[in-house]
Amino acid sequence: MATLSNSKTDGPLDSTLRKQLERMVLEARKIATDAAREKLESLTVHEGKRGSHVSTDEDIELRNRLRAHARFLGDRQNSQSGAQKIDRLVEECAYQHWHRMLFARFLVENELLIQPDMGQAVSMDEIEELAHEEGLDKWELASRYAQKQLPAIFPADNPVLELKLAADATIKLTELLEEPASDTARIGLPQKVFLANDSLGWVYQFWQNEENKRANKSEDKIDSSTLPAVTQFFTEDYMVSFLLHNTLGAWHAGKVLAENPSLALNATSEEELRRAVRLEDADGYDFDYLRFVKVEEASSLSHPRTNEDSNSKSQDGSATFYHNWFDWKEPINELSGSLPHIRQEGVTYFVTFRTADSVPAHMWKEWHAERESWLKKNPEPRNKKQRQEYAVKFPERVQHWLDQQYGDCVLADKDVREIVENAIGHFAGERYEVDEFVVAANHVHVLVTPLGDHELSDILHSWKSFSANKINKQLNRTGRFWQKESFDHAVRSSNGLLKFRQYIRNHDKVAEASSLPQTQKSQDGSATWRPMGGTFDGWPTTTAELKVLDPCCGSGHFLVAAMELLVRLRMREEQLDLRDAIDSVLRDNLSGLELDRRCTQIAVFNLALAAWKLDGNEYRKLPSMTVAHVGQSVTVKRDQWMKVLGSEADSNTKFFFGQLYDMFSQASTLGSLIN
């Protein structure tokens, strides 16, 4: 069985090389853009009428194809004069010519540029000899090899690649691409740039630098033409590793700890656990950023009911618990306060109350000011979109803050937590019914239904007053323990109830995984280690079942890092050959979507290059990759689009076909947000 290559790619670019790469890419963009515009205008691609000097059949055909390609890219044509915008076509032409050369150098330096007839990798010296025999520039020949090797990235039918840029421009681009003549040379890119593991990601960000600055400086509304430039930011290596280690790595670690319960119980540090979950292969794979927490195995923070209907019945048919849904048609009371509090007799509420130090004062002050401003701009009655916006900007943001565990988080202590649990349960069934609740490190979520004449405000006051006094006494402290106001939401349906229950149950898992300090043990010493990211019953049991989707994949940095981890996991689990593991991961596990077509090119090349390097720097055909451009807008007018249906289509078909047009005509802005 083949094993992972011992040859290592260089680490990330150092700051000096990064600046050098940025300078070269910026110069290349200017040279290639000027040359592309000059060449396109010489063919009168932008003019309504063909220039008399464009007379050969070959040039006429190329001009027509370039004009059609410009419209495909989104350049507008004047229907009266036939004049054609070519801004996007110029950018596409410049990008393709420079990157075809650049990718060729990446392949050369990694010993992966293949001479088509021989089917073998060739060095730069060999390319120079072959180019001399054919009367070509060496980088032009290398680019042709790269294009044949990567037909999905540089399609042979792309008309911009059939243009031949002016010789002086090609010479200048070649000088930028060459090995520098000396350490102090102003131009050129050293070999190390093409061996570093993050160069491809920086390449595109640097290509977009000027567009980014121009768009931000103009303060114009961001549109489809400027969106890629202002949102394309390369993610540093350590960020990618941290996120993958605490998701895929946490999943792997959860399996290892489940198989070795004594390790989960007896490990003395996170570092010991990271060593235990390390993947052993030729190079070894370390989860340097994987975090663990120590929690009490026996801790049960939520108190679930099993009823799934609005009323549950005991075996003798008597009602044991009931819910009453909020109804806008019934009388409503709205209490005063800095937060909204809607009351209706007998309804079930989802309530959140928190410790006084759970959200930093400056964040709370800014939140209130922003909320007051929003309410003034969005007075009642509010539509569905406004209500959804309010939920995300205000209640949901506070819930997120609470989960960040600001403050002392004293509720993580078992004895303190029990005080709150006892307070909630004390009058249950008498003054109120409690469905489910969870006590987290600095806040509490409860589903509660007041009974009889008892008001929610009085119930909350009794819980908080009783528990605050006892907790302060136990901890020998004074002052306000709970924040005065609480968040409360009247439950409006059985579906709403189920969503709140699921939130509490999921929240319970997070609370168990994160609320206790790492050094804390339960009274019987049964504290156990878990990944900080948690372990969840719904997760797949095998790597083959895992699906990694990057909806804004950019240059494919996350996809490459995920591939390198998933390949090792599949080899470990399934005893796969290295090549089979690489092919399986590319085919089954990874998907990427991207608004910018050029990024999909870089992402696919990045994945292919990483796969070949992982397999001992050996070129071979790889499976088709699921990396898709989702930003191509419909460029025809709506009436032309609808004509595709013909006259026989019924009204429903016409309606949905029109919906498709409305959606995909915004694809260059919405991208992967399209459902």
Side-chain angles (χ1 to χ4, degrees):
M1 184 176 73
T3 57
L4 287 155
S5 169
N6 279 309
S7 62
K8 288 191 176 183
T9 299
D10 287 355
L13 285 172
D14 62 38
S15 58
T16 301
L17 285 177
R18 192 184 297 179
K19 288 178 182 176
Q20 195 170 349
L21 177 62
E22 180 178 15
R23 189 170 66 251
M24 296 302 102
V25 170
L26 289 174
E27 287 192 37
R29 175 164 186 157
K30 185 177 186 313
I31 293 166
T33 300
D34 290 346
R37 185 173 292 279
E38 179 184 347
K39 187 65 178 179
L40 289 167
E41 289 181 351
S42 73
L43 285 173
T44 61
V45 172
H46 60 304
E47 295 180 8
K49 291 185 178 181
R50 169 171 53 86
S52 58
H53 62 285
V54 183
S55 55
T56 68
D57 291 344
E58 184 180 6
D59 282 350
I60 293 171
E61 181 190 1
L62 179 58
R63 176 181 179 273
N64 291 337
R65 289 170 59 209
L66 287 166
R67 285 169 64 83
H69 194 61
R71 294 191 292 275
F72 172 76
L73 294 172
D75 282 329
R76 298 293 181 183
Q77 183 181 40
N78 187 306
S79 59
Q80 303 297 322
S81 66
Q84 174 75 60
K85 292 281 188 182
I86 59 169
D87 293 338
R88 296 189 184 190
L89 184 64
V90 167
E91 189 174 352
E92 165 86 349
C93 184
Y95 173 89
Q96 296 292 353
H97 277 270
W98 166 248
H99 283 79
R100 186 172 58 170
M101 295 172 66
L102 191 72
F103 285 13
R105 175 100 196 260
F106 270 101
L107 292 172
V108 168
E109 299 300 353
N110 287 279
E111 301 175 3
L112 286 165
L113 187 67
I114 305 300
Q115 204 285 337
D117 297 329
M118 297 186 296
Q120 295 179 349
V122 287
S123 67
M124 205 64 244
D125 289 340
E126 290 169 326
I127 293 171
E128 196 159 7
E129 288 181 20
L130 292 166
H132 181 71
E133 291 174 8
E134 296 187 34
L136 297 171
D137 173 78
K138 62 182 178 181
W139 286 114
E140 183 179 353
L141 183 62
S143 297
R144 291 184 184 182
Y145 290 171
Q147 186 171 352
K148 289 183 179 180
Q149 202 168 332
L150 303 164
I153 298 176
F154 300 111
D157 61 350
N158 189 339
V160 300
L161 290 172
E162 294 179 31
L163 283 175
K164 193 172 179 65
L165 301 185
D168 62 331
T170 302
I171 291 171
K172 290 177 182 177
L173 292 175
T174 298
E175 289 174 346
L176 296 178
L177 197 61
E178 291 277 13
E179 186 79 23
S182 67
D183 292 341
T184 59
R186 182 186 168 278
I187 60 173
L189 290 169
Q191 183 188 42
K192 285 185 178 180
V193 168
F194 301 93
L195 299 179
N197 62 17
D198 61 347
S199 293
L200 277 165
W202 290 114
V203 158
Y204 189 63
Q205 178 159 324
F206 295 152
W207 182 265
Q208 292 284 59
N209 268 5
E210 292 302 317
E211 286 299 308
N212 180 289
K213 291 176 183 176
R214 190 178 299 112
N216 287 325
K217 189 176 181 179
S218 72
E219 297 184 356
D220 291 338
K221 182 179 178 181
I222 302 302
D223 60 19
S224 60
S225 64
T226 53
L227 186 60
V230 298
T231 59
Q232 186 66 238
F233 293 103
F234 182 67
T235 309
E236 297 269 17
D237 262 12
Y238 73 91
M239 300 179 189
V240 174
S241 295
F242 181 87
L243 290 169
L244 287 177
H245 288 182
N246 288 286
T247 49
L248 293 177
W251 173 82
H252 164 67
K255 292 180 66 178
V256 172
L257 294 180
E259 294 165 1
N260 301 274
S262 61
L263 175 66
L265 191 64
N266 299 321
T268 58
S269 67
E270 288 185 82
E271 188 54 41
E272 180 183 345
L273 290 163
R274 282 191 283 268
R275 287 196 301 269
V277 302
R278 184 178 190 268
L279 296 174
E280 300 293 344
D281 52 50
D283 295 335
Y285 188 98
D286 294 299
F287 293 92
D288 295 326
Y289 296 92
L290 177 58
R291 299 302 310 276
F292 295 86
V293 290
K294 210 167 193 179
V295 298
E296 290 188 34
E297 186 64 34
S299 175
S300 178
L301 303 184
S302 72
H303 301 257
R305 300 266 180 170
T306 58
N307 54 306
E308 297 299 333
D309 302 319
S310 63
N311 296 291
S312 61
K313 303 284 185 180
S314 63
Q315 290 182 346
D316 63 2
S318 60
T320 59
F321 188 73
Y322 72 92
H323 302 96
N324 193 18
W325 313 132
F326 176 82
D327 187 347
W328 285 105
K329 298 175 184 176
E330 298 297 321
I332 299 170
N333 294 319
E334 189 162 358
L335 305 185
S336 61
S338 60
L339 297 175
H341 303 285
I342 295 176
R343 296 286 185 265
Q344 195 169 75
E345 186 176 353
V347 304
T348 302
Y349 297 91
F350 174 70
V351 180
T352 300
F353 57 99
R354 62 186 183 88
T355 57
D357 63 353
S358 57
V359 176
H362 72 279
M363 292 168 62
W364 194 241
K365 184 177 180 181
E366 290 172 5
W367 182 92
H368 270 287
E370 186 179 343
R371 179 177 171 273
E372 286 302 311
S373 174
W374 189 92
L375 291 174
K376 288 179 182 178
K377 294 177 182 177
N378 298 270
E380 290 282 14
R382 301 184 186 101
N383 58 37
K384 182 179 179 181
K385 183 178 179 181
Q386 288 173 307
R387 293 196 299 271
Q388 290 173 337
E389 181 183 345
Y390 179 89
V392 172
K393 292 175 75 74
F394 302 108
E396 289 182 17
R397 184 156 33 138
V398 173
Q399 301 289 3
H400 173 73
W401 286 345
L402 294 178
D403 292 338
Q404 304 310 300
Q405 298 191 13
Y406 293 110
D408 293 337
C409 294
V410 297
L411 299 179
D413 182 276
K414 182 181 178 183
D415 294 333
V416 174
R417 187 169 66 248
E418 284 183 351
I419 293 173
V420 181
E421 293 173 350
N422 291 336
I424 292 172
H426 188 70
F427 288 109
E430 182 180 342
R431 299 181 181 179
Y432 48 82
E433 286 279 14
V434 175
D435 185 89
E436 298 192 17
F437 70 93
V438 59
V439 181
N442 61 1
H443 64 285
V444 181
H445 298 302
V446 190
L447 274 168
V448 58
T449 307
L451 299 177
D453 295 331
H454 297 284
E455 298 287 343
L456 179 63
S457 302
D458 296 333
I459 294 166
L460 290 173
H461 176 75
S462 68
W463 289 348
K464 292 162 76 172
S465 176
F466 172 81
S467 59
N469 288 331
K470 290 207 68 172
I471 291 170
N472 279 340
K473 184 176 181 181
Q474 179 163 313
L475 299 179
N476 193 27
R477 57 188 284 177
T478 59
R480 187 175 66 181
F481 182 78
W482 297 108
Q483 178 67 24
K484 181 180 178 182
E485 284 196 85
S486 308
F487 284 93
D488 50 74
H489 182 93
V491 181
R492 304 182 183 191
S493 66
S494 57
N495 285 336
L497 177 69
L498 293 176
K499 288 180 181 178
F500 286 125
R501 280 180 179 164
Q502 193 60 49
Y503 181 83
I504 288 174
R505 291 167 186 172
N506 290 340
H507 202 84
D508 172 43
K509 295 172 184 175
V510 176
E512 286 186 31
S514 60
S515 63
L516 298 176
Q518 293 175 16
T519 55
Q520 182 176 337
K521 287 182 177 288
S522 61
Q523 293 180 350
D524 62 359
S526 62
T528 186
W529 290 96
R530 295 181 185 174
M532 183 181 71
T535 56
F536 302 98
D537 294 338
W539 277 10
T541 57
T542 65
T543 307
E545 298 174 274
L546 290 171
K547 302 294 181 185
V548 177
L549 168 65
D550 187 343
C552 307
C553 70
S555 59
H557 198 178
F558 275 96
L559 296 177
V560 168
M563 180 192 72
E564 292 173 346
L565 172 54
L566 290 167
V567 163
R568 289 169 165 87
L569 288 173
R570 293 198 69 165
M571 290 179 70
R572 175 180 182 270
E573 285 181 18
E574 304 169 54
Q575 300 301 303
L576 290 177
D577 180 271
L578 173 60
R579 289 192 172 182
D580 287 340
I582 291 172
D583 290 353
S584 297
V585 168
L586 292 177
R587 184 180 57 245
D588 304 333
N589 296 104
L590 297 177
S591 298
L593 303 175
E594 176 53 49
L595 186 73
D596 190 335
R597 180 189 297 101
R598 294 165 299 184
C599 282
T600 63
Q601 289 183 310
I602 296 180
V604 170
F605 180 64
N606 212 351
L607 275 170
L609 189 62
W612 293 326
K613 291 165 77 171
L614 200 61
D615 194 11
N617 282 57
E618 186 168 343
Y619 170 79
R620 64 187 178 84
K621 189 173 181 180
L622 297 169
S624 179
M625 301 177 203
T626 312
V627 179
H629 171 231
V630 289
Q632 181 59 50
S633 293
V634 178
T635 55
V636 300
K637 293 182 178 179
R638 202 175 199 276
D639 59 344
Q640 293 175 285
W641 171 269
M642 297 303 293
K643 284 179 182 178
V644 173
L645 288 178
S647 58
E648 302 299 321
D650 59 39
S651 58
N652 284 336
T653 303
K654 289 179 180 178
F655 172 78
F656 287 114
F657 206 61
Q659 292 280 302
L660 284 175
Y661 178 88
D662 294 340
M663 187 160 49
F664 283 96
S665 61
Q666 301 180 66
S668 57
T669 302
L670 295 176
S672 58
L673 295 178
I674 290 178
N675 185 350

